[in-house]
Amino acid sequence: MVAVDPIRLADYKPWPFALPEIALDVDLRSDQVVVTSDLSLEPLSTNVPLILRGVELTLDGLAVDGEPLDPSTWIQEGDRLTVTGLPDRPFVLTTRCSIDPFNNTSLEGLYTSGGMLTTQCEAEGFRRITFHPDRPDVLSRWRVRIEADRHRYPVLLSNGNAVQSLELGSDRHAVLWEDPFPKPSYLFALVAGDLREIRDSFTTTSGRTVALRLHVEAGDEPFTAHAMESLKRSMQWDECTYNLEYDLDEYNIVAVRHFNMGAMENKSLNIFNSKLVLADAETATDGELERIESVIAHEYFHNWSGNRITCRDWFQLSLKEGLTVFRDQNFTADLHSAAVKRIDDVAMLRNTQFREDAGPTAHPVKPSEYQAIDNFYTTTIYEKGAELIRMLHTLLGSKRFMRGMATYVSRFDGTAATTEDFVQAIADGACANGETLGFDLEQFKRWYHQAGTPQLTVERSWEARSGRLTLHLRQQTPPTPEQPVKQPLVLPIAMALIGSTGRQGEERLLVFDQEEQVIEIGAVPGPQPPALSILRRFSAPVTLQMDMTLEETLQLLAADDDPFSRWEAGQRLSRQVLLARAAAEPDATVESALIHALRQSLVDMDVQQGSELAVLLSLPGMAELEACQEPVDPLALFDAMQSWRSVLGCELKSELHDLLEQCRSQWSQPWPKGQGARSLTGVAWSWLLAAGDAQTPAEALNAVSGPSMTLARAALRALQRHAGPEREEALRVFYDRWKDKPVILDAWFGLEASTPRSDGLKRVKDLLEHPRFDPLAPNALRAVLGGFMANVPLFHAIDGSGYTFIAEQIVDVDQRNPVTASRMVKVFSRWRSYALERQLVMQEAIQLLDVPALSSNTREVVVMLKA
Ligand SMILES: [Zn+2]
């Protein structure tokens, strides 16, 4: 086993050189790529050695100011090139390397995807292209010349503006790119290939015309309109909301099939996973269209939050990601339904980030050390990071927060900053007119360093005679690895009182920053206390413990004016029902009350409020339920969900058929209009199918060959747990229809792998051998293995066969894609929360991961699991 020294935040030192300019010459040849780099270096102190990073590079030449270097002055060891005896004045270091992108399966640096060459440099991929410090606080202006065969690589792209194109004879050509904005190496990008271009333009508020270009493979041109419109909406939104304009003459987006992540914000040359570019209503679901819109926006917003102001080091990752997620969440909320967006985001946070916080890989938004930074592209850095910024926004109010953002941008534009810089700038901007902050800024910063989900406990006392209502608040954050003791945090708590006819009085914002606090709410006269609506809009990312009567919960569900709190009340009851069913003790009182409330919602709300109604009807996620159960019994929870759907389908049968009738007339409405009706259809189908309704199987099967991908996929999902012949028929129809479109076929792979069949494990193994399965495409791999891990009865089979299979797959995937493998390991992270019998078989599977050849990425996670 190889021990890797961790990188520590406390060890940060600025790089001892400035690197204001880089000239890169990339010569693409048929069998290799020759990269010549001129680094303009300025020593910032005397006599320090120059240390550059390089991985899998063949060094062919090294010179200073054009003079080849004496071999005694430099040494190449591992991934380090150390040069000594350098001049004490500015100089140019030239390196000439050859690399082999054609056999690079790491999906980092320069590699091939479907005949094109493309890059991925975040976080540390640039060192696979040439020698460079490869750290985010070294910012340079770049000139990049790309030379290649004219026929094989007619399109040559890099960052910035194209300033020159050259025909070189003998079928060679070259393009020169210049990026005037200083940027670190992780934002470098290069694409070469035979791509089709779709062109549009956008005029900024100040009158600059920006050429917008999407580059896709031949045949994919018809599926680009949605991405292009999304880009224009993003540009406009950032101008209107943050007063931030785009800064170059062109903006390029390239769709790549072999891509490990969603998308990458390389300056002016975004590289996207094809599934997040190519879409229309026939080929993508409503959810996918919305996700594409938000990811296009996310990467675009990075132009300011990430590119113009970048991270000083990788410990600051949330500086760009938390802020940019916060920005893209607000973009989607502004364009669509703010309530539904908030509910979706909270459900996601609870099912992923809270789960991470409760396990062995829990870490703060700003970690203090890491071995592989790739392991820290987590939901904690992204989604919890966004929640911290949302809390600042809540505490300060929109106007003051925006002033803070303006201060942040003007103070740090063109530099690499820290999260402390950000928080301080927000506070300074917010208080620019002499206002006080209203909370303790130093205490707020604890949110960045303290891992774990705080538990907020609320107890109430109400004096019937005076109507005096008092809240007793307590907060406590459970211990996490290496953080046994926690301190109290600043919690913004939005609250209101809800009577039978709605909100009574104004909403209040409590700032709770002690371990314990008693807060007088004042006199609330009446025959009984009003219902307490607390943590409205989920004003702080905490778990709430509060005794609430069934009547009170139903009152919130019926009358709260905050849609989030209404949804939360429904979820509270659904959790109670499902956990009781999983324990084989169904709670008839809560069940009938919830059925009554849901029936009322189905009657009161109509298909015009489809998206709001659909989230109200949605059941809590598995991970969220597991967090409430001890020991966790995944099979019992799975069965509880299915039996409850069946009860809902029986009890609400006539209301659901009425609803379907309304929905059908909206099915053909294009996104986003018909989205609500289609979501409701999916819910109705899944409940009616579970209840054995006679008409639904045929209607669902029919939708699989219909014009809407949303309905087709909703039908396939609903049919997944249906034992009749329609399930297999639906999967066959879908496969036959889309077998030539890999982006869509991935959905079929995922559905096949997640269908709970008795011979499911064998079927999943067959999928990995399927002629249309591309093991080098991360999307396909994630579809099959991710689908299987979500297949509760198979993955959690008590004989351990599912765990063993996934462990073997992780070892295999790790050999070519450590980033994906290390993420998969996290599926075992909660092994301690299961019953002993299950713990033992899970441990056996984890044991299989202990192989000497494991990558350091994956090993780091395995070690955390065992700790
Ligand atoms: Zn991002």
PDB file of all heavy atoms in Angstrom, residues 218-246:
ATOM      1  N   ALA A 218     -21.582  15.528 -36.550  1.00  0.00           N
ATOM      2  CA  ALA A 218     -22.499  15.579 -37.690  1.00  0.00           C
ATOM      3  C   ALA A 218     -23.752  14.770 -37.362  1.00  0.00           C
ATOM      4  O   ALA A 218     -23.668  13.665 -36.827  1.00  0.00           O
ATOM      5  CB  ALA A 218     -21.820  15.022 -38.932  1.00  0.00           C
ATOM      6  N   GLY A 219     -24.905  15.315 -37.664  1.00  0.00           N
ATOM      7  CA  GLY A 219     -26.166  14.626 -37.395  1.00  0.00           C
ATOM      8  C   GLY A 219     -26.841  15.115 -36.129  1.00  0.00           C
ATOM      9  O   GLY A 219     -28.040  14.928 -35.942  1.00  0.00           O
ATOM     10  N   ASP A 220     -26.049  15.757 -35.250  1.00  0.00           N
ATOM     11  CA  ASP A 220     -26.622  16.230 -33.977  1.00  0.00           C
ATOM     12  C   ASP A 220     -27.124  17.672 -34.061  1.00  0.00           C
ATOM     13  O   ASP A 220     -27.667  18.187 -33.074  1.00  0.00           O
ATOM     14  CB  ASP A 220     -25.584  16.118 -32.851  1.00  0.00           C
ATOM     15  CG  ASP A 220     -25.368  14.676 -32.417  1.00  0.00           C
ATOM     16  OD1 ASP A 220     -26.281  13.847 -32.625  1.00  0.00           O
ATOM     17  OD2 ASP A 220     -24.285  14.370 -31.874  1.00  0.00           O
ATOM     18  N   GLU A 221     -26.950  18.307 -35.222  1.00  0.00           N
ATOM     19  CA  GLU A 221     -27.323  19.727 -35.342  1.00  0.00           C
ATOM     20  C   GLU A 221     -28.769  20.012 -34.933  1.00  0.00           C
ATOM     21  O   GLU A 221     -29.046  21.042 -34.309  1.00  0.00           O
ATOM     22  CB  GLU A 221     -27.092  20.246 -36.772  1.00  0.00           C
ATOM     23  CG  GLU A 221     -25.674  20.179 -37.271  1.00  0.00           C
ATOM     24  CD  GLU A 221     -25.381  18.904 -38.047  1.00  0.00           C
ATOM     25  OE1 GLU A 221     -25.863  17.831 -37.624  1.00  0.00           O
ATOM     26  OE2 GLU A 221     -24.679  18.968 -39.060  1.00  0.00           O
ATOM     27  N   PRO A 222     -29.741  19.119 -35.274  1.00  0.00           N
ATOM     28  CA  PRO A 222     -31.131  19.462 -34.942  1.00  0.00           C
ATOM     29  C   PRO A 222     -31.420  19.520 -33.435  1.00  0.00           C
ATOM     30  O   PRO A 222     -32.489  19.969 -33.044  1.00  0.00           O
ATOM     31  CB  PRO A 222     -31.955  18.329 -35.571  1.00  0.00           C
ATOM     32  CG  PRO A 222     -31.059  17.646 -36.515  1.00  0.00           C
ATOM     33  CD  PRO A 222     -29.668  17.838 -36.009  1.00  0.00           C
ATOM     34  N   PHE A 223     -30.477  19.042 -32.628  1.00  0.00           N
ATOM     35  CA  PHE A 223     -30.771  18.945 -31.190  1.00  0.00           C
ATOM     36  C   PHE A 223     -30.078  20.032 -30.373  1.00  0.00           C
ATOM     37  O   PHE A 223     -29.767  19.847 -29.204  1.00  0.00           O
ATOM     38  CB  PHE A 223     -30.373  17.558 -30.681  1.00  0.00           C
ATOM     39  CG  PHE A 223     -30.993  16.441 -31.474  1.00  0.00           C
ATOM     40  CD1 PHE A 223     -30.249  15.727 -32.396  1.00  0.00           C
ATOM     41  CD2 PHE A 223     -32.343  16.150 -31.319  1.00  0.00           C
ATOM     42  CE1 PHE A 223     -30.830  14.718 -33.148  1.00  0.00           C
ATOM     43  CE2 PHE A 223     -32.934  15.142 -32.063  1.00  0.00           C
ATOM     44  CZ  PHE A 223     -32.181  14.420 -32.990  1.00  0.00           C
ATOM     45  N   THR A 224     -29.787  21.179 -30.994  1.00  0.00           N
ATOM     46  CA  THR A 224     -28.992  22.189 -30.300  1.00  0.00           C
ATOM     47  C   THR A 224     -29.762  23.458 -29.933  1.00  0.00           C
ATOM     48  O   THR A 224     -29.241  24.302 -29.210  1.00  0.00           O
ATOM     49  CB  THR A 224     -27.795  22.609 -31.176  1.00  0.00           C
ATOM     50  OG1 THR A 224     -28.311  22.969 -32.462  1.00  0.00           O
ATOM     51  CG2 THR A 224     -26.801  21.478 -31.328  1.00  0.00           C
ATOM     52  N   ALA A 225     -30.984  23.604 -30.456  1.00  0.00           N
ATOM     53  CA  ALA A 225     -31.702  24.873 -30.270  1.00  0.00           C
ATOM     54  C   ALA A 225     -31.942  25.163 -28.783  1.00  0.00           C
ATOM     55  O   ALA A 225     -31.799  26.305 -28.323  1.00  0.00           O
ATOM     56  CB  ALA A 225     -33.034  24.845 -31.023  1.00  0.00           C
ATOM     57  N   HIS A 226     -32.271  24.140 -28.025  1.00  0.00           N
ATOM     58  CA  HIS A 226     -32.575  24.353 -26.604  1.00  0.00           C
ATOM     59  C   HIS A 226     -31.340  24.854 -25.847  1.00  0.00           C
ATOM     60  O   HIS A 226     -31.430  25.780 -25.039  1.00  0.00           O
ATOM     61  CB  HIS A 226     -33.088  23.048 -25.985  1.00  0.00           C
ATOM     62  CG  HIS A 226     -33.328  23.135 -24.515  1.00  0.00           C
ATOM     63  ND1 HIS A 226     -34.299  23.943 -23.963  1.00  0.00           N
ATOM     64  CD2 HIS A 226     -32.697  22.540 -23.466  1.00  0.00           C
ATOM     65  CE1 HIS A 226     -34.271  23.826 -22.639  1.00  0.00           C
ATOM     66  NE2 HIS A 226     -33.301  22.993 -22.308  1.00  0.00           N
ATOM     67  N   ALA A 227     -30.196  24.254 -26.143  1.00  0.00           N
ATOM     68  CA  ALA A 227     -28.970  24.682 -25.466  1.00  0.00           C
ATOM     69  C   ALA A 227     -28.646  26.135 -25.832  1.00  0.00           C
ATOM     70  O   ALA A 227     -28.265  26.944 -24.970  1.00  0.00           O
ATOM     71  CB  ALA A 227     -27.815  23.754 -25.838  1.00  0.00           C
ATOM     72  N   MET A 228     -28.809  26.476 -27.103  1.00  0.00           N
ATOM     73  CA  MET A 228     -28.492  27.842 -27.538  1.00  0.00           C
ATOM     74  C   MET A 228     -29.421  28.857 -26.874  1.00  0.00           C
ATOM     75  O   MET A 228     -28.969  29.907 -26.380  1.00  0.00           O
ATOM     76  CB  MET A 228     -28.609  27.923 -29.066  1.00  0.00           C
ATOM     77  CG  MET A 228     -28.120  29.218 -29.644  1.00  0.00           C
ATOM     78  SD  MET A 228     -26.329  29.463 -29.410  1.00  0.00           S
ATOM     79  CE  MET A 228     -25.680  28.784 -30.939  1.00  0.00           C
ATOM     80  N   GLU A 229     -30.707  28.557 -26.825  1.00  0.00           N
ATOM     81  CA  GLU A 229     -31.652  29.473 -26.171  1.00  0.00           C
ATOM     82  C   GLU A 229     -31.318  29.597 -24.682  1.00  0.00           C
ATOM     83  O   GLU A 229     -31.413  30.676 -24.104  1.00  0.00           O
ATOM     84  CB  GLU A 229     -33.096  28.975 -26.349  1.00  0.00           C
ATOM     85  CG  GLU A 229     -33.635  29.117 -27.769  1.00  0.00           C
ATOM     86  CD  GLU A 229     -33.452  30.519 -28.335  1.00  0.00           C
ATOM     87  OE1 GLU A 229     -33.789  31.496 -27.638  1.00  0.00           O
ATOM     88  OE2 GLU A 229     -32.936  30.636 -29.474  1.00  0.00           O
ATOM     89  N   SER A 230     -30.922  28.486 -24.078  1.00  0.00           N
ATOM     90  CA  SER A 230     -30.575  28.514 -22.651  1.00  0.00           C
ATOM     91  C   SER A 230     -29.382  29.430 -22.412  1.00  0.00           C
ATOM     92  O   SER A 230     -29.341  30.183 -21.433  1.00  0.00           O
ATOM     93  CB  SER A 230     -30.231  27.105 -22.168  1.00  0.00           C
ATOM     94  OG  SER A 230     -31.313  26.235 -22.358  1.00  0.00           O
ATOM     95  N   LEU A 231     -28.409  29.373 -23.319  1.00  0.00           N
ATOM     96  CA  LEU A 231     -27.224  30.217 -23.184  1.00  0.00           C
ATOM     97  C   LEU A 231     -27.615  31.696 -23.253  1.00  0.00           C
ATOM     98  O   LEU A 231     -27.171  32.509 -22.435  1.00  0.00           O
ATOM     99  CB  LEU A 231     -26.205  29.870 -24.285  1.00  0.00           C
ATOM    100  CG  LEU A 231     -24.961  30.746 -24.333  1.00  0.00           C
ATOM    101  CD1 LEU A 231     -24.183  30.697 -23.018  1.00  0.00           C
ATOM    102  CD2 LEU A 231     -24.046  30.324 -25.494  1.00  0.00           C
ATOM    103  N   LYS A 232     -28.485  32.028 -24.186  1.00  0.00           N
ATOM    104  CA  LYS A 232     -28.873  33.441 -24.318  1.00  0.00           C
ATOM    105  C   LYS A 232     -29.650  33.913 -23.085  1.00  0.00           C
ATOM    106  O   LYS A 232     -29.449  35.028 -22.607  1.00  0.00           O
ATOM    107  CB  LYS A 232     -29.683  33.640 -25.606  1.00  0.00           C
ATOM    108  CG  LYS A 232     -28.784  33.553 -26.842  1.00  0.00           C
ATOM    109  CD  LYS A 232     -29.479  34.030 -28.092  1.00  0.00           C
ATOM    110  CE  LYS A 232     -30.296  32.915 -28.698  1.00  0.00           C
ATOM    111  NZ  LYS A 232     -30.915  33.311 -29.985  1.00  0.00           N
ATOM    112  N   ARG A 233     -30.521  33.035 -22.572  1.00  0.00           N
ATOM    113  CA  ARG A 233     -31.258  33.402 -21.353  1.00  0.00           C
ATOM    114  C   ARG A 233     -30.297  33.616 -20.176  1.00  0.00           C
ATOM    115  O   ARG A 233     -30.479  34.518 -19.375  1.00  0.00           O
ATOM    116  CB  ARG A 233     -32.265  32.296 -20.992  1.00  0.00           C
ATOM    117  CG  ARG A 233     -33.511  32.310 -21.861  1.00  0.00           C
ATOM    118  CD  ARG A 233     -34.624  31.458 -21.253  1.00  0.00           C
ATOM    119  NE  ARG A 233     -34.385  30.030 -21.380  1.00  0.00           N
ATOM    120  CZ  ARG A 233     -34.757  29.289 -22.432  1.00  0.00           C
ATOM    121  NH1 ARG A 233     -35.378  29.854 -23.450  1.00  0.00           N
ATOM    122  NH2 ARG A 233     -34.511  27.999 -22.469  1.00  0.00           N
ATOM    123  N   SER A 234     -29.246  32.770 -20.102  1.00  0.00           N
ATOM    124  CA  SER A 234     -28.278  32.897 -18.998  1.00  0.00           C
ATOM    125  C   SER A 234     -27.533  34.224 -19.078  1.00  0.00           C
ATOM    126  O   SER A 234     -27.331  34.901 -18.066  1.00  0.00           O
ATOM    127  CB  SER A 234     -27.240  31.772 -19.063  1.00  0.00           C
ATOM    128  OG  SER A 234     -27.849  30.536 -19.258  1.00  0.00           O
ATOM    129  N   MET A 235     -27.118  34.583 -20.304  1.00  0.00           N
ATOM    130  CA  MET A 235     -26.352  35.817 -20.476  1.00  0.00           C
ATOM    131  C   MET A 235     -27.195  37.018 -20.068  1.00  0.00           C
ATOM    132  O   MET A 235     -26.728  37.930 -19.386  1.00  0.00           O
ATOM    133  CB  MET A 235     -25.876  35.941 -21.936  1.00  0.00           C
ATOM    134  CG  MET A 235     -24.935  34.808 -22.338  1.00  0.00           C
ATOM    135  SD  MET A 235     -24.393  34.848 -24.068  1.00  0.00           S
ATOM    136  CE  MET A 235     -22.975  35.957 -23.949  1.00  0.00           C
ATOM    137  N   GLN A 236     -28.455  36.963 -20.472  1.00  0.00           N
ATOM    138  CA  GLN A 236     -29.345  38.071 -20.154  1.00  0.00           C
ATOM    139  C   GLN A 236     -29.615  38.151 -18.645  1.00  0.00           C
ATOM    140  O   GLN A 236     -29.608  39.232 -18.064  1.00  0.00           O
ATOM    141  CB  GLN A 236     -30.659  37.873 -20.899  1.00  0.00           C
ATOM    142  CG  GLN A 236     -31.501  39.115 -20.881  1.00  0.00           C
ATOM    143  CD  GLN A 236     -32.544  39.052 -21.978  1.00  0.00           C
ATOM    144  OE1 GLN A 236     -32.947  37.973 -22.417  1.00  0.00           O
ATOM    145  NE2 GLN A 236     -32.980  40.207 -22.414  1.00  0.00           N
ATOM    146  N   TRP A 237     -29.825  36.992 -18.038  1.00  0.00           N
ATOM    147  CA  TRP A 237     -30.129  36.969 -16.601  1.00  0.00           C
ATOM    148  C   TRP A 237     -28.974  37.528 -15.789  1.00  0.00           C
ATOM    149  O   TRP A 237     -29.167  38.297 -14.856  1.00  0.00           O
ATOM    150  CB  TRP A 237     -30.443  35.531 -16.163  1.00  0.00           C
ATOM    151  CG  TRP A 237     -30.904  35.405 -14.739  1.00  0.00           C
ATOM    152  CD1 TRP A 237     -32.188  35.514 -14.278  1.00  0.00           C
ATOM    153  CD2 TRP A 237     -30.082  35.137 -13.584  1.00  0.00           C
ATOM    154  NE1 TRP A 237     -32.213  35.323 -12.907  1.00  0.00           N
ATOM    155  CE2 TRP A 237     -30.948  35.096 -12.463  1.00  0.00           C
ATOM    156  CE3 TRP A 237     -28.716  34.922 -13.392  1.00  0.00           C
ATOM    157  CZ2 TRP A 237     -30.480  34.846 -11.161  1.00  0.00           C
ATOM    158  CZ3 TRP A 237     -28.256  34.681 -12.111  1.00  0.00           C
ATOM    159  CH2 TRP A 237     -29.128  34.641 -11.005  1.00  0.00           C
ATOM    160  N   ASP A 238     -27.735  37.159 -16.153  1.00  0.00           N
ATOM    161  CA  ASP A 238     -26.586  37.633 -15.364  1.00  0.00           C
ATOM    162  C   ASP A 238     -26.401  39.145 -15.515  1.00  0.00           C
ATOM    163  O   ASP A 238     -25.940  39.814 -14.593  1.00  0.00           O
ATOM    164  CB  ASP A 238     -25.305  36.888 -15.765  1.00  0.00           C
ATOM    165  CG  ASP A 238     -24.433  36.576 -14.542  1.00  0.00           C
ATOM    166  OD1 ASP A 238     -24.946  36.656 -13.414  1.00  0.00           O
ATOM    167  OD2 ASP A 238     -23.241  36.272 -14.727  1.00  0.00           O
ATOM    168  N   GLU A 239     -26.777  39.666 -16.667  1.00  0.00           N
ATOM    169  CA  GLU A 239     -26.720  41.128 -16.843  1.00  0.00           C
ATOM    170  C   GLU A 239     -27.774  41.809 -15.984  1.00  0.00           C
ATOM    171  O   GLU A 239     -27.504  42.791 -15.295  1.00  0.00           O
ATOM    172  CB  GLU A 239     -26.954  41.497 -18.310  1.00  0.00           C
ATOM    173  CG  GLU A 239     -25.794  41.129 -19.224  1.00  0.00           C
ATOM    174  CD  GLU A 239     -26.025  41.586 -20.652  1.00  0.00           C
ATOM    175  OE1 GLU A 239     -27.135  42.059 -20.972  1.00  0.00           O
ATOM    176  OE2 GLU A 239     -25.078  41.458 -21.454  1.00  0.00           O
ATOM    177  N   CYS A 240     -29.009  41.272 -16.027  1.00  0.00           N
ATOM    178  CA  CYS A 240     -30.118  41.919 -15.297  1.00  0.00           C
ATOM    179  C   CYS A 240     -29.947  41.771 -13.792  1.00  0.00           C
ATOM    180  O   CYS A 240     -30.242  42.690 -13.040  1.00  0.00           O
ATOM    181  CB  CYS A 240     -31.459  41.296 -15.674  1.00  0.00           C
ATOM    182  SG  CYS A 240     -31.878  41.565 -17.374  1.00  0.00           S
ATOM    183  N   THR A 241     -29.498  40.599 -13.356  1.00  0.00           N
ATOM    184  CA  THR A 241     -29.503  40.314 -11.925  1.00  0.00           C
ATOM    185  C   THR A 241     -28.227  40.789 -11.239  1.00  0.00           C
ATOM    186  O   THR A 241     -28.266  41.383 -10.177  1.00  0.00           O
ATOM    187  CB  THR A 241     -29.672  38.797 -11.705  1.00  0.00           C
ATOM    188  OG1 THR A 241     -30.705  38.332 -12.551  1.00  0.00           O
ATOM    189  CG2 THR A 241     -30.021  38.490 -10.258  1.00  0.00           C
ATOM    190  N   TYR A 242     -27.081  40.498 -11.857  1.00  0.00           N
ATOM    191  CA  TYR A 242     -25.803  40.799 -11.196  1.00  0.00           C
ATOM    192  C   TYR A 242     -25.019  41.904 -11.913  1.00  0.00           C
ATOM    193  O   TYR A 242     -23.897  42.206 -11.519  1.00  0.00           O
ATOM    194  CB  TYR A 242     -24.939  39.535 -11.127  1.00  0.00           C
ATOM    195  CG  TYR A 242     -25.355  38.576 -10.035  1.00  0.00           C
ATOM    196  CD1 TYR A 242     -26.284  37.582 -10.286  1.00  0.00           C
ATOM    197  CD2 TYR A 242     -24.823  38.673  -8.751  1.00  0.00           C
ATOM    198  CE1 TYR A 242     -26.679  36.698  -9.294  1.00  0.00           C
ATOM    199  CE2 TYR A 242     -25.202  37.790  -7.749  1.00  0.00           C
ATOM    200  CZ  TYR A 242     -26.128  36.807  -8.029  1.00  0.00           C
ATOM    201  OH  TYR A 242     -26.507  35.935  -7.038  1.00  0.00           O
ATOM    202  N   ASN A 243     -25.603  42.420 -13.000  1.00  0.00           N
ATOM    203  CA  ASN A 243     -24.911  43.458 -13.736  1.00  0.00           C
ATOM    204  C   ASN A 243     -23.570  42.954 -14.280  1.00  0.00           C
ATOM    205  O   ASN A 243     -22.598  43.700 -14.364  1.00  0.00           O
ATOM    206  CB  ASN A 243     -24.696  44.669 -12.816  1.00  0.00           C
ATOM    207  CG  ASN A 243     -24.543  45.934 -13.600  1.00  0.00           C
ATOM    208  OD1 ASN A 243     -24.928  45.989 -14.774  1.00  0.00           O
ATOM    209  ND2 ASN A 243     -23.948  46.956 -12.989  1.00  0.00           N
ATOM    210  N   LEU A 244     -23.491  41.676 -14.619  1.00  0.00           N
ATOM    211  CA  LEU A 244     -22.247  41.097 -15.121  1.00  0.00           C
ATOM    212  C   LEU A 244     -22.420  40.747 -16.601  1.00  0.00           C
ATOM    213  O   LEU A 244     -23.299  39.979 -16.970  1.00  0.00           O
ATOM    214  CB  LEU A 244     -21.887  39.840 -14.315  1.00  0.00           C
ATOM    215  CG  LEU A 244     -21.560  40.083 -12.835  1.00  0.00           C
ATOM    216  CD1 LEU A 244     -21.382  38.760 -12.096  1.00  0.00           C
ATOM    217  CD2 LEU A 244     -20.311  40.951 -12.678  1.00  0.00           C
ATOM    218  N   GLU A 245     -21.540  41.333 -17.414  1.00  0.00           N
ATOM    219  CA  GLU A 245     -21.618  41.123 -18.860  1.00  0.00           C
ATOM    220  C   GLU A 245     -20.549  40.153 -19.325  1.00  0.00           C
ATOM    221  O   GLU A 245     -19.500  40.029 -18.685  1.00  0.00           O
ATOM    222  CB  GLU A 245     -21.335  42.452 -19.568  1.00  0.00           C
ATOM    223  CG  GLU A 245     -22.558  43.228 -19.909  1.00  0.00           C
ATOM    224  CD  GLU A 245     -22.225  44.418 -20.814  1.00  0.00           C
ATOM    225  OE1 GLU A 245     -21.294  44.319 -21.651  1.00  0.00           O
ATOM    226  OE2 GLU A 245     -22.905  45.434 -20.670  1.00  0.00           O
ATOM    227  N   TYR A 246     -20.766  39.563 -20.470  1.00  0.00           N
ATOM    228  CA  TYR A 246     -19.735  38.717 -21.051  1.00  0.00           C
ATOM    229  C   TYR A 246     -18.628  39.600 -21.627  1.00  0.00           C
ATOM    230  O   TYR A 246     -18.874  40.720 -22.071  1.00  0.00           O
ATOM    231  CB  TYR A 246     -20.334  37.806 -22.137  1.00  0.00           C
ATOM    232  CG  TYR A 246     -19.328  36.807 -22.627  1.00  0.00           C
ATOM    233  CD1 TYR A 246     -18.785  35.873 -21.741  1.00  0.00           C
ATOM    234  CD2 TYR A 246     -18.877  36.803 -23.946  1.00  0.00           C
ATOM    235  CE1 TYR A 246     -17.834  34.964 -22.162  1.00  0.00           C
ATOM    236  CE2 TYR A 246     -17.927  35.891 -24.375  1.00  0.00           C
ATOM    237  CZ  TYR A 246     -17.411  34.980 -23.478  1.00  0.00           C
ATOM    238  OH  TYR A 246     -16.465  34.097 -23.888  1.00  0.00           O
TER     239      TYR A 246
END
